[in-house]
């Protein structure tokens, strides 16, 4: 079964290249004919997705639909069994320098202070010490954490930790930011505050983002476009433009006339697929 | 209990008022009050701890003293006699130089064991090939009583200080290696993924992730190693050429100077406790990210 699907999977490298060339270079993502298996069962089957430069895309779906796996493949952290992903025209085979990831459990090094956590990827990329310090401090200022650089992650609340995670991602000035359920581990209030901050940040510094979430509300609030994924195998059920302009706030999105019908539409999609829902997270 | 409630009650009485300035001022005052209360509580807890420890020492050594005064001198001795004998051994016998000799072989063997343990443990933890190649020997040796190797070591190397140092190193190496190995393995899988995502090269991975992540386990291993190393010292000195503290112990007990033998044993115990205490301080200094005030007044 699995091998039959491999054979039929498109392996067309040219399509990737041509799509990247026709679109705007720098910060676009082209996934074509993606397959991924865990054991014998396909987690992702025949998935095509194009994310334009500076677009904020949210991926929603039930547990086990492969949305996190899709993100990890874009990040170069999970292998691609078949198909290709190209970011800014560059094929993903390992983590790319132009891509930053925000992790669900923050991914901060407990033995490094906040400042050194943010400066690490800059130093790793060969940025000079002074320049790295300046950019790390700028990034911390961006997320409103300029005065806690000397603290260790253990001293921070979940919301603050994820602000540091965001600052670390933005510090390298990436073309694409990938966020893997970044607000799933914080409480509901903090979550809304962080959404608000992210909206404010993105209205000032637009860039390509793929944001994976369980929450339909969160997806509509943040995204220009919502990708609805279904499980068994993971595939795209729907691809919905969010007709709500920017700048936005959490409240203004909730009040918008298209919010309720949009939510209804996505919810119907997910309910339809969840009867076949998987158990893998 | 009553004091514990106090700062909370004050806090409840000062929600941020309509005037921002007022709230800021009272927050500052309140912060200082809470900090002071917390410090007082911590100080009280420390004093209590020390008091109990002191009482425990008095009770145990008091019991030793009383029991010792009512028994035969060949079997046991009161603590006062033991301490006096210890003083005499230092002043009129060679206990000082014997202690020096033992500490010297211990330092050499311990250093070698710790160094091998760190390198081997980290390699096995970081690289699958190293684990595949070496772990079975390490775990086999870890499970073997090192005493069993002493006659063979003597056969190969002899009975001098070199042989003793090798024996001590063997006692320290395996627990050290195993602890460091497990420590490196326990470094969060997510953090390893983050390192890949941040595109750290091999050198940066070691400097920023593996080495600092392993520090707590290195210190834990080194602390266990002190006890193992001291066992090694005494066994080496008894089983090869009689020397150092082992010599003192053997000589005194074989001539039925029980009080003097107990003095040597007490000295070895003090050494163990003292060395562990030093490593406790090192641990405290070396891992600042693990001693953070979590608001309960206790520093971890």
């Amino acid at each position: 079964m699995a091998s039959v699907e491999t054979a039929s999977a498109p392996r067309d490298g040219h399509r990737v290249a041509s799509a990247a060339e026709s679109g705007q270079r720098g910060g676009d993502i082209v996934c074509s004919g993606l397959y991924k298996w865990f054991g014998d069962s396909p987690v992702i089957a025949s998935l095509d997705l194009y994310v334009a430069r500076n677009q904020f895309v949210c991926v929603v779906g039930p547990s086990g639909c492969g949305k996190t796996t899709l993100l990890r493949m874009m990040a170069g952290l999970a292998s691609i069994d078949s198909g290709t992903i190209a970011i800014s025209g560059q094929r993903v085979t390992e983590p790319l320098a132009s891509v930053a990831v925000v992790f669900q459990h923050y991914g901060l090094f407990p033995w490094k202070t906040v400042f050194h956590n943010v400066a690490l990827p800059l130093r790793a990329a060969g940025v000079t010490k002074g320049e790295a310090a300046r950019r790390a401090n700028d990034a911390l200022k961006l997320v409103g954490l300029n005065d806690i650089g000397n603290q260790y992650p253990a001293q921070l609340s979940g919301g603050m930790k994820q602000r540091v995670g965001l600052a670390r991602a933005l510090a390298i000035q990436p073309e694409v930011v990938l966020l893997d359920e970044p607000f799933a581990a914080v409480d509901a209030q903090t979550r809304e505050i962080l959404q608000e901050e992210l909206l404010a940040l993105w209205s000032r510094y637009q860039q390509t983002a793929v944001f994976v979430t369980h929450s339909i509300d969160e997806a509509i609030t943040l995204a220009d476009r919502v990708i609805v994924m279904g499980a068994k195998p993971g595939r795209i059920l729907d691809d919905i433009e969010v007709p709500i302009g920017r700048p936005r706030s959490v409240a203004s999105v909730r009040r918008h006339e298209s919010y309720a019908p949009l939510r209804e539409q996505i919810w119907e999609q997910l309910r339809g697929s969840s009867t076949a829902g998987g158990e893998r997270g | 209990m009553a004091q514990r409630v106090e700062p909370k009650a004050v806090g409840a009485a000062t929600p941020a008022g309509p005037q921002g300035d007022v709230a800021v001022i009272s927050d500052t005052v309140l912060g200082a009050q809470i900090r002071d209360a917390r410090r007082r509580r911590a100080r009280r807890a420390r004093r209590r701890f020390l008091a109990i420890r002191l009482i425990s020492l008095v009770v145990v050594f008091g019991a030793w003293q009383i029991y010792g005064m009512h028994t035969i001198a060949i079997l046991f001795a009161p603590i006062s006699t033991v301490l006096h004998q210890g003083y005499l051994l230092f002043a009129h016998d060679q206990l000082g130089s014997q202690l020096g000799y033992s500490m010297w072989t211990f330092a050499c063997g311990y250093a070698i064991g710790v160094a091998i343990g760190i390198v081997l443990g980290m390699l096995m933890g970081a690289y699958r090939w190293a684990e595949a190649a070496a772990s079975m020997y390490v775990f086999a040796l870890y499970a073997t009583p090192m005493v069993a190797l002493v006659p063979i070591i003597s056969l190969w190397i002899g009975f001098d200080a070199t042989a003793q140092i090798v024996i001590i190193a063997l006692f320290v190496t395996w627990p050290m290696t195993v602890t460091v190995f497990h420590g490196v393995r326990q470094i969060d899988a997510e953090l390893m993924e983050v390192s890949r995502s941040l595109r750290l090269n091999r050198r940066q991975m070691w400097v920023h992730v593996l080495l600092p992540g392993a520090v707590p386990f290195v210190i834990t291993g080194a602390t266990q190693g002190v006890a193992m190393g001291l066992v090694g010292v005494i066994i080496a000195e008894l089983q090869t050429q009689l020397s150092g503290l082992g010599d003192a112990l053997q000589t005194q007990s074989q001539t039925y100077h029980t009080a003097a033998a107990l003095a040597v044993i007490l000295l070895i115990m003090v050494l163990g406790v003292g060395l562990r205490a030093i490593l406790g301080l090192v641990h405290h200094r070396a891992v600042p990210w693990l001693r953070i005030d979590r608001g309960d007044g206790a520093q971890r």
Side-chain angles (χ1 to χ4, degrees):
Chain A
M1 176 69 191
S3 57
V4 174
E5 273 174 350
T6 333
S8 66
R11 291 165 176 276
D12 193 352
H14 299 294
R15 225 172 74 193
V16 175
S18 61
E21 272 151 28
S22 65
Q24 253 178 305
R25 280 256 172 181
D28 65 339
I29 306 171
V30 187
C31 306
S32 55
L34 286 186
Y35 278 81
K36 177 79 182 173
W37 280 274
F38 284 174
D40 285 339
S41 54
V43 199
I44 287 175
S46 184
L47 187 143
D48 298 289
L49 176 65
Y50 176 73
V51 179
R53 173 190 160 88
N54 289 351
Q55 201 168 42
F56 196 117
V57 171
C58 278
V59 182
V60 283
S63 295
C65 72
K67 54 190 192 300
T68 289
T69 305
L70 174 63
L71 195 92
R72 283 167 43 80
M73 292 199 299
M74 289 177 180
L77 294 172
S79 64
I80 300 165
D81 289 342
S82 177
T84 53
I85 298 177
I87 293 176
S88 308
Q90 199 180 351
R91 188 159 166 184
V92 178
T93 52
E94 54 164 11
L96 298 180
S98 58
V99 177
V101 184
V102 178
F103 293 86
Q104 182 175 356
H105 302 291
Y106 322 121
L108 302 177
F109 296 102
W111 44 86
K112 287 188 175 289
T113 61
V114 165
F115 170 81
H116 286 293
N117 263 291
V118 176
L120 177 60
L122 295 166
R123 296 291 289 142
V127 176
T128 62
K129 208 167 193 169
E131 174 69 5
R134 194 184 60 73
R135 278 166 65 178
N137 282 321
D138 283 352
L140 282 170
K141 217 174 286 170
L142 213 57
V143 297
L145 292 181
N146 31 338
D147 48 357
I148 61 147
N150 290 326
Q151 298 199 28
Y152 287 98
Q155 292 168 278
L156 308 181
S157 67
M160 301 237 284
K161 281 183 202 164
Q162 201 51 292
R163 286 190 187 91
V164 177
L166 197 58
R168 179 174 65 187
L170 296 177
I172 64 167
Q173 295 167 352
E175 290 173 1
V176 171
V177 183
L178 305 174
L179 306 98
D180 179 19
E181 304 197 40
F183 305 153
V186 300
D187 63 88
Q189 269 181 317
T190 307
R191 187 172 188 153
E192 202 163 307
I193 292 167
L194 289 171
Q195 289 171 359
E196 202 78 73
E197 289 179 5
L198 199 60
L199 281 176
L201 214 57
W202 245 257
S203 60
R204 275 189 294 164
Y205 307 94
Q206 247 187 16
Q207 64 190 131
T208 317
V210 178
F211 187 113
V212 166
T213 177
H214 264 101
S215 159
I216 300 174
D217 293 314
E218 187 164 78
I220 300 173
T221 304
L222 298 174
D224 300 315
R225 188 176 151 210
V226 178
I227 306 291
V228 185
M229 281 185 73
K232 297 233 163 172
R235 65 205 185 281
I236 294 176
L237 296 175
D238 207 350
D239 184 342
I240 305 164
E241 294 280 335
V242 179
I244 303 173
R246 292 181 193 266
R248 298 175 185 174
S249 69
V250 174
S252 80
V253 170
R254 299 277 151 89
R255 278 199 306 271
H256 198 274
E257 56 189 13
S258 57
Y259 175 74
L262 211 54
R263 193 176 190 288
E264 189 70 21
Q265 185 189 347
I266 297 171
W267 180 227
E268 283 301 324
Q269 292 275 11
L270 289 178
R271 191 156 45 193
S273 79
S274 70
T275 45
E279 51 283 333
R280 199 178 271 117
Chain B
M1 209 54 200
Q3 288 87 347
R4 191 166 291 194
V5 178
E6 174 203 339
K8 239 188 188 154
V10 178
T14 20
Q19 278 116 344
D21 306 12
V22 177
V24 167
I25 291 165
S26 63
D27 270 3
T28 320
V29 174
L30 185 62
Q33 278 175 354
I34 291 172
R35 215 167 31 247
D36 285 352
R38 218 178 256 169
R39 266 195 211 127
R40 271 199 303 279
R41 217 183 310 142
R43 213 177 305 136
R44 251 199 315 276
R46 254 197 318 273
R47 249 184 252 140
R48 209 175 119 85
F49 188 86
L50 285 175
I52 293 174
R53 183 166 270 185
L54 204 67
I55 293 167
S56 169
L57 282 171
V58 168
V59 168
V60 168
F61 281 92
W64 180 346
Q65 179 71 17
I66 292 164
Y67 181 74
M69 292 194 309
H70 296 86
T71 184
I72 330 166
I74 281 180
L75 295 181
F76 202 64
I79 179 72
S80 57
T81 314
V82 169
L83 289 176
H84 183 66
Q85 285 299 318
Y87 165 75
L88 290 180
L89 284 179
F90 262 111
H92 302 296
D93 208 329
Q94 317 154 15
L95 189 57
S97 62
Q98 285 165 331
L99 173 66
Y101 176 82
S102 290
M103 283 297 87
W104 176 68
T105 53
F106 172 81
C108 295
Y110 181 76
I112 293 169
V114 166
I116 294 176
I118 291 174
V119 173
L120 204 54
M122 295 221 52
L123 281 176
M124 275 167 46
Y127 299 115
R128 286 278 164 192
W129 61 260
E131 187 196 355
S135 68
M136 46 204 173
Y137 309 120
V138 168
F139 282 101
L141 286 163
Y142 180 54
T144 309
M146 279 302 120
V147 194
L149 297 188
V150 171
I152 301 291
I153 302 286
S154 306
L155 204 61
W156 289 344
I157 307 177
F159 297 90
D160 56 0
T162 314
Q164 291 174 347
I165 289 170
V166 169
I167 291 165
I168 297 163
L170 279 172
F171 269 82
V172 177
T173 302
W174 313 119
M176 184 78 198
T177 308
V178 169
T179 308
V180 173
F181 165 66
H182 285 305
V184 174
R185 268 299 145 78
Q186 267 169 35
I187 294 176
D188 201 338
E190 194 188 48
L191 288 183
M192 299 310 286
E193 184 147 273
V194 172
S195 319
R196 273 175 63 209
S197 166
L198 298 182
R199 295 161 58 87
L200 302 189
N201 61 31
R202 179 165 292 186
R203 190 189 62 80
Q204 291 162 337
M205 193 90 142
W206 278 97
V207 171
H208 295 290
V209 185
L210 293 173
L211 289 173
V215 166
F217 300 96
V218 167
I219 295 168
T220 306
T223 311
Q224 292 167 351
V226 167
M228 298 310 296
L230 284 176
V231 173
V233 167
I234 301 305
I235 284 179
E237 288 172 350
L238 291 175
Q239 300 286 314
T240 61
Q241 191 178 48
L242 208 53
S243 51
L245 291 176
D247 181 13
L249 191 61
Q250 180 91 329
T251 309
Q252 298 308 328
S253 53
Q254 278 186 350
T255 52
Y256 301 108
H257 288 106
T258 306
L262 284 170
V264 177
I265 292 171
L266 201 61
L267 177 61
I268 295 168
M269 289 170 76
V270 168
L271 279 178
V273 173
L275 288 169
R276 283 183 75 105
I278 291 172
L279 277 161
L281 286 178
V282 171
H283 186 250
H284 194 71
R285 302 244 82 196
V287 285
W289 65 92
L290 290 181
R291 53 180 162 96
I292 280 159
D293 185 358
R294 282 166 213 264
D296 52 7
Q299 296 258 316
R300 297 170 203 222

